[in-house]
Amino acid sequence: WDIQEGQAGFALEDGVAYEISFDAYASSARTVSFKTGSSSFANYTYQTVDMGTTETAVSVTYTQTPADNNAQFEFHLGTQGTGEVCLDNVVVAPVSAEPSNLILNGDFSDGFNNWFTSFAGSGAATTDTSSGALCINVTDGAGFAYELLVGQADVNLSAGNTYEISFNVQADRSRNLSYKTGESSPPFVDYTYQTTGIGTAWQTIVHQYVQPTDDSAAQFQLHFGGEGTGEVCVDDVSLTVVSVAPPDGDNLLVNGRF
């Protein structure tokens, strides 16, 4: 603790889980310690990590006790000899609660409400939610995946946030299924577009991506075209925020990106 860098004067709540994260590297192998604590030097968490010359992402989660309206965060750089240590993207933030699903009625408990279909070219299909999942019976698969789709509109996405798309899916035979987020109007730019193989057993699809731009009226779509006829069922569709882009997140530190 003879050499410190830190910040003071932020509030920590009793019983709340906090995540400390940062990127770091050094001119030679060494250890670095970091902590949250009180202004009277009590430690709430104290951690020591090894680091080397390659930048490493460090993340630690702990549960705070007690409440402190004037807490401190500190890096301790002493007792390791001379040399340079570089730090960036320093965050102390409460761990998010269960993420809110941006997809409405993703479990189809309310039938087909909040969803839309779009069939182009020769694409034709019927939808059925009586089983508790959304089942698409494709009677004409058309020529392209996007010519037969199901989706939701007016999804609010923020630039720099990491989003996770997740859903369960199965089909009556092996085939491909595509899914995306993207613009709702020309030129219909895709923010992410993924194609995955599916089969007769239920499987969970999970994909994360970083949103490139703000869009308060984005669309999420599932594409069923270009794969011939047959039935595909999907359930438990979710689109959630995994992490919020600095400086708009809940970082308790000021200027953590320097």
Side-chain angles (χ1 to χ4, degrees):
W1 64 82
D2 285 339
I3 302 175
Q4 299 180 13
E5 294 287 342
Q7 282 196 27
F10 57 89
L12 297 173
E13 298 180 46
D14 185 34
V16 172
Y18 289 91
E19 181 181 26
I20 301 170
S21 62
F22 56 91
D23 300 327
Y25 66 92
S27 57
S28 61
R30 62 187 296 148
T31 61
V32 169
S33 299
F34 57 96
K35 61 169 278 188
T36 57
S38 70
S39 58
S40 57
F41 312 116
N43 294 334
Y44 302 138
T45 186
Y46 193 100
Q47 307 289 329
T48 300
V49 294
D50 296 321
M51 69 178 57
T53 56
T54 301
E55 186 173 79
T56 301
V58 177
S59 177
V60 170
T61 300
Y62 80 100
T63 299
Q64 172 67 23
T65 188
D68 187 341
N69 290 324
N70 189 33
Q72 297 188 168
F73 173 76
E74 299 171 3
F75 285 108
H76 291 179
L77 307 174
T79 73
Q80 293 291 305
T82 60
E84 184 177 59
V85 177
C86 295
L87 305 163
D88 199 5
N89 299 320
V90 186
V91 174
V92 177
V95 176
S96 298
E98 186 70 21
S100 177
N101 190 359
L102 301 178
I103 299 297
L104 302 178
N105 189 30
D107 62 359
F108 303 100
S109 59
D110 194 22
F112 198 65
N113 285 339
N114 306 112
W115 293 86
F116 69 86
T117 59
S118 177
F119 304 152
S122 63
T126 59
T127 62
D128 181 13
T129 59
S130 61
S131 67
L134 171 64
C135 291
I136 313 294
N137 184 18
V138 180
T139 55
D140 188 328
F144 299 98
Y146 60 81
E147 290 184 315
L148 202 161
L149 67 87
V150 169
Q152 283 200 19
D154 298 324
V155 180
N156 188 3
L157 301 175
S158 299
N161 286 1
T162 300
Y163 291 91
E164 181 175 280
I165 299 167
S166 175
F167 56 92
N168 298 326
V169 62
Q170 61 99 218
D172 59 1
R173 61 175 175 83
S174 296
R175 62 188 294 150
N176 288 325
L177 173 72
S178 298
Y179 57 96
K180 61 169 278 187
T181 59
E183 293 179 339
S184 60
S185 58
F188 301 110
V189 171
D190 296 334
Y191 302 136
T192 186
Y193 192 101
Q194 304 293 319
T195 299
T196 186
I198 60 175
T200 57
W202 281 99
Q203 63 189 93
T204 301
I205 306 299
V206 179
H207 169 67
Q208 293 185 2
Y209 79 99
V210 178
Q211 174 67 18
T213 186
D214 290 331
D215 189 343
S216 61
Q219 291 193 357
F220 169 77
Q221 298 177 3
L222 295 160
H223 290 181
F224 301 90
E227 290 288 318
T229 61
E231 186 178 67
V232 181
C233 296
V234 296
D235 201 4
D236 299 321
V237 184
S238 67
L239 173 59
T240 57
V241 180
V242 175
S243 63
V244 177
D248 300 319
D250 295 324
N251 192 359
L252 301 178
L253 302 183
V254 179
N255 191 30
R257 299 179 75 191
F258 305 100

